[in-house]
Amino acid sequence: MDLKTATSLRRLRLVSAPEAISFLLLLVCSVLKRTTEFNAVPVMGMIHGVLFVLYVVFWADAWNRAKWPLKTAALYFVLSVLPTGGFFADRRLRREAEDAVIASRARKEGVVGA
């Protein structure tokens, strides 16, 4: 894995958890708007919207650079529209990055021909 691919995966990973948190907070704000006088939906909606757009942009960049199959790319996109999906995306992306580092070190040391 080259540096640009690793960077694009890291950016996607870094925005996935905040996007999930903002989605959950937006849901809470929506419930509070309907049950109390508290209305933070416009603010949380904008924050979540910005984070979601960033996620989609970083997702498209990661898909392009990592050469994911359609199934993997679709999984990461579906995780972005689920309320807690960003947490699962973060975990999978972290595991993928760690595996790539291990494989890269093994190739440098000549342990495997991968």
Side-chain angles (χ1 to χ4, degrees):
M1 179 181 302
D2 65 341
L3 184 61
K4 289 184 179 183
T5 304
T7 302
S8 67
L9 292 175
R10 181 170 171 77
R11 277 190 305 223
L12 180 61
R13 199 180 124 230
L14 288 176
V15 79
S16 64
E19 190 271 335
I21 291 168
S22 72
F23 195 180
L24 292 173
L25 288 174
L26 180 60
L27 293 175
V28 169
C29 288
S30 295
V31 170
L32 289 174
K33 176 184 175 183
R34 308 233 185 294
T35 58
T36 66
E37 296 294 317
F38 184 73
N39 185 10
V41 172
V43 174
M44 277 312 304
M46 186 165 61
I47 292 170
H48 174 66
V50 168
L51 288 171
F52 180 74
V53 168
L54 281 174
Y55 184 95
V56 171
V57 169
F58 293 158
W59 166 80
D61 183 44
W63 182 13
N64 182 35
R65 292 189 188 278
K67 306 291 189 249
W68 286 331
L70 183 60
K71 183 179 176 183
T72 303
L75 172 69
Y76 284 121
F77 186 78
V78 167
L79 287 174
S80 74
V81 295
L82 297 175
T84 58
F87 300 120
F88 295 107
D90 177 48
R91 187 180 323 162
R92 284 184 58 112
L93 288 165
R94 183 181 314 131
R95 195 174 323 136
E96 187 177 324
E98 289 170 354
D99 291 346
V101 168
I102 291 169
S104 174
R105 287 181 182 162
R107 277 193 298 274
K108 282 183 182 178
E109 295 175 4
V111 176
V112 294

